[in-house]
């Protein structure tokens, strides 16, 4: 039986499917049978490998960044931008990838996003200067945006929410494995004759393997429908967020926080974002549907995700630098130091996922994780250059368990509480705001760290505008080394303490999320039922 895809029940419905349409519409034509756990794992094996690559691409560089920045004679501000540019590219393109999923085969799009990783990794591996390296991170961010949008959409389409906990646990374990292996592998490569360039090239075989796995295991037929991509909305959102990032990176170094440049950049960003809201309200299929915010669960999940992104990315991304500069560890040992946090994330995510699938209760894990997040961040706010490794390990376990319990379950809560036709839109929106929160957090807190370190090392002097290079401790005399270690230790503690209020606000948002029973049918099956019901009452024929 063949069926052409139908327009959304409401032509102006901004919840027109973002990515889930291809699968959901296919489900109307050829209903998808409930998959066994083994079949499901086979179907998403390529997605798992893709996510492994996406995470590895970021974490393998974390322990290498201080050496990279030093070798390329770059600045502390550049250290922040190496992380921020990838997050920005990912954030800006998540909704666009979701919209493209309405037009083209999702498997093809995932493979295309992995292709961006190949190109970005090769360019980064041979980058002669910091400018080329930053450009390569944009390409990697494009790939990450595709995976962030499409993996969750495909999973929600073929797996019922009640079963998603189990597979979210598997993805949590993959997340932890890549996050554990990344810093360790990165540290080993930096300390080896291969050098830091191998950190970017080592992921290429994994990318190619993911593409092959997708080709063999993921079967998704293509059904095209007439979709108008909201290019103006995408441009205005990207312009507004990018302008905020430029401001947050340069404020306090190139110009004062309260200055003409600050007012100009913030004003331009607000105008762009306000214009984006107006465009989104009028466009038939907006990048971020405004009607989504009428759903209490989705709205609170989006708010919590954005705040968790600020707290999580904003603080933890600088841990590798703290271990190497403030504590004096080698890149390899710095990677080993992060093990307790990653193990905490892995265990929490896997155990909670299994329990959610078994008992169908999910909010308790969100609340526990949201309580542990501010506690973990506050504990890190007490560190300095001389904090013992045992204290640091204990703090990391608390923070890791909190992150593991919160991240995937916020997406699950949103996906469970929307119609199947809105699965893609809701998923992309939660992922988008989490990425945006993390991007802004890294940029703002990174700028503050750079300013704090410069002020400490050069008290009363002129700001260097963020141009001071990250120091190589091995080249410093003993007295200067101690000063630098103390400066970075104190500055890192301040960053974590600044992240605490965001985590507390995330807890408040989570508390107000209402727990609802998890759906027992997949997104494809739910969409098929919705389409059939719509045709019966004639709403799909207008």
């Amino acid at each position: 039986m063949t069926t052409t895809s139908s327009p959304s029940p409401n032509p102006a419905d901004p919840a027109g499917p973002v990515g889930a349409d291809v699968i959901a519409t296919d489900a109307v034509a050829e209903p998808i049978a409930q998959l066994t756990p083994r079949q499901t794992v086979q179907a998403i094996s390529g997605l798992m490998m893709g996510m492994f690559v996406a995470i590895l691409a970021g974490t393998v560089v974390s322990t290498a960044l201080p050496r990279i920045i030093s070798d390329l004679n770059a600045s502390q501000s550049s250290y922040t931008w190496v992380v921020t540019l990838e997050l920005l590219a990912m954030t800006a393109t998540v909704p666009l990838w979701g919209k493209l999923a309405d037009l083209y085969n999702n498997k093809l799009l995932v493979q295309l996003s992995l292709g961006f990783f190949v190109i970005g990794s090769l360019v980064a591996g041979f980058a002669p200067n910091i400018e080329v390296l930053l450009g390569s991170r944009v390409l990697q961010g494009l790939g990450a945006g595709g995976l962030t949008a499409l993996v969750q959409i495909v999973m929600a389409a073929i797996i019922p929410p009640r079963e998603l906990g189990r597979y979210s646990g598997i993805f949590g374990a993959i997340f932890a494995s890549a996050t554990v292996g990344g810093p360790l592998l990165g540290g080993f490569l930096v300390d080896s004759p291969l050098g830091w360039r191998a950190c970017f090239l080592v992921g290429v075989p994994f990318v190619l393997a993911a593409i092959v796995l997708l080709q063999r295991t993921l079967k998704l037929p293509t059904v095209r429908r007439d979709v108008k991509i909201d290019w103006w909305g995408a441009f205005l959102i990207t312009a507004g967020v990018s302008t905020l990032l430029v401001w947050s990176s340069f404020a306090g170094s190139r110009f004062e926080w309260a200055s003409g440049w600050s007012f100009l950049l913030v004003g331009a960003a607000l105008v762009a974002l306000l214009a984006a809201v107006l465009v989104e309200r009028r466009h038939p299929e907006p990048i971020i549907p405004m009607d989504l915010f009428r759903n209490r669960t989705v709205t609170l999940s989006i708010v919590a995700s954005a705040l968790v992104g600020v707290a999580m990315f904003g603080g933890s991304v600088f841990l590798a630098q703290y271990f190497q500069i403030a504590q004096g560890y080698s890149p390899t040992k710095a990677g080993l130091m992060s093990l307790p946090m990653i193990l905490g994330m892995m265990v929490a995510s896997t155990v909670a996922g299994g329990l959610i699938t078994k008992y169908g209760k999910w909010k308790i894990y969100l609340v526990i994780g949201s309580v542990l997040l501010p506690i973990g961040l506050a504990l890190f706010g007490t560190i300095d250059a001389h904090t013992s490794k045992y204290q640091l390990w204990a703090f990391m376990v608390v923070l890791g368990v909190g992150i593991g319990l919160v991240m995937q379950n916020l997406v699950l809560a949103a996906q469970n509480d929307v119609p199947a036709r809105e699965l893609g839109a809701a998923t992309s929106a939660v992922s988008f705001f989490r990425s945006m929160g993390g991007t802004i957090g890294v940029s703002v807190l990174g700028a503050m760290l750079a300013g704090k370190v410069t002020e400490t090392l050069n008290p009363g002097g002129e700001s260097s505008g963020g141009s001071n290079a990250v120091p190589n401790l091995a080249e410093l005399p003993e007295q200067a080394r101690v000063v630098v270690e103390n400066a970075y230790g104190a500055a890192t503690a301040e960053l974590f303490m600044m992240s605490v209020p965001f985590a507390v606000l995330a807890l408040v948002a989570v508390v107000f999320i209402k727990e609802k029973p998890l759906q027992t049918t997949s997104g494809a099956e739910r969409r098929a039922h919705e389409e059939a019901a719509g045709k019966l009452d004639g709403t799909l024929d207008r």
Side-chain angles (χ1 to χ4, degrees), residues 5 55 122 144 148 166 172 231 280 333 339 401 403 410 491 495:
S5 59
I55 299 162
L122 291 174
T148 300
R166 174 187 297 140
W231 296 112
E280 299 298 87
K333 290 183 178 178
L339 278 174
V401 171
I403 294 172
L410 283 172
L495 293 192

Side-chain angles (χ1 to χ4, degrees), residues 2 41 49 100 114-115 181 206 214 237 255 258 298 328 349 406 440 467 493 505 528 538 540-542:
T2 57
V41 171
M49 181 65 77
L100 289 174
L114 290 171
F206 292 100
L214 284 168
I237 291 170
F255 48 80
V298 173
S349 175
V406 169
I440 293 175
S467 60
L505 291 175
L540 294 183
D541 297 327
R542 13 185 208 138

Side-chain angles (χ1 to χ4, degrees), residues 82 106 149-150 180 189 313 315 327 330 341 367 370 415 437 488 491 517-518:
V82 170
N106 286 355
L150 296 168
V180 169
L189 292 173
F313 289 104
Q327 294 259 326
S330 68
M341 184 169 74
V367 173
S370 299
Q415 290 176 336
Y488 274 88
L518 292 174

Side-chain angles (χ1 to χ4, degrees), residues 312-380:
M312 181 178 65
F313 289 104
S316 61
V317 77
F318 298 103
L319 269 180
Q321 180 173 268
Y322 164 80
F323 288 137
Q324 292 181 62
I325 297 181
Q327 294 259 326
Y329 288 107
S330 68
T332 301
K333 290 183 178 178
L336 288 169
M337 284 293 294
S338 65
L339 278 174
M341 184 169 74
I342 306 310
L343 292 174
M345 293 170 58
M346 179 175 65
V347 172
S349 175
T350 305
V351 172
L355 292 174
I356 289 172
T357 295
K358 183 175 182 179
Y359 297 107
K361 301 294 184 182
W362 50 266
K363 183 174 178 179
I364 181 64
Y365 306 107
L366 267 180
V367 173
I368 293 174
S370 299
V371 169
L372 291 177
L373 269 178
I375 293 175
L377 292 170
L379 290 173
F380 270 108

Side-chain angles (χ1 to χ4, degrees), residues 254-278:
R254 301 292 177 87
F255 48 80
E256 297 297 325
W257 288 97
S259 66
W261 274 109
S262 285
F263 292 127
L264 176 63
L265 291 174
V266 173
L270 293 178
V271 168
L273 293 175
L274 177 60
V277 170
L278 297 176

Side-chain angles (χ1 to χ4, degrees), residues 294-458:
R294 296 178 182 175
N295 184 305
R296 172 178 168 179
T297 300
V298 173
T299 300
L300 291 173
S301 296
I302 287 174
V303 171
S305 291
L307 293 168
V308 168
V310 174
M312 181 178 65
F313 289 104
S316 61
V317 77
F318 298 103
L319 269 180
Q321 180 173 268
Y322 164 80
F323 288 137
Q324 292 181 62
I325 297 181
Q327 294 259 326
Y329 288 107
S330 68
T332 301
K333 290 183 178 178
L336 288 169
M337 284 293 294
S338 65
L339 278 174
M341 184 169 74
I342 306 310
L343 292 174
M345 293 170 58
M346 179 175 65
V347 172
S349 175
T350 305
V351 172
L355 292 174
I356 289 172
T357 295
K358 183 175 182 179
Y359 297 107
K361 301 294 184 182
W362 50 266
K363 183 174 178 179
I364 181 64
Y365 306 107
L366 267 180
V367 173
I368 293 174
S370 299
V371 169
L372 291 177
L373 269 178
I375 293 175
L377 292 170
L379 290 173
F380 270 108
T382 66
I383 65 175
D384 57 30
H386 310 290
T387 303
S388 75
K389 61 183 179 182
Y390 302 106
Q391 283 182 281
L392 293 171
W393 288 344
F395 298 168
M396 281 188 281
V397 169
V398 174
L399 188 59
V401 171
I403 294 172
L405 292 176
V406 169
M407 269 206 328
Q408 291 297 327
N409 291 329
L410 283 172
V411 177
L412 175 63
Q415 290 176 336
N416 183 62
D417 200 35
V418 295
R421 70 179 185 276
E422 297 181 2
L423 270 175
T427 303
S428 295
V430 174
S431 299
F432 170 79
F433 281 97
R434 182 179 62 206
S435 299
M436 186 171 70
T439 305
I440 293 175
V442 169
S443 181
V444 172
L445 297 180
M448 290 182 174
L449 184 144
K452 180 66 177 179
V453 169
T454 300
E455 178 185 346
T456 302
L457 297 180
N458 186 24

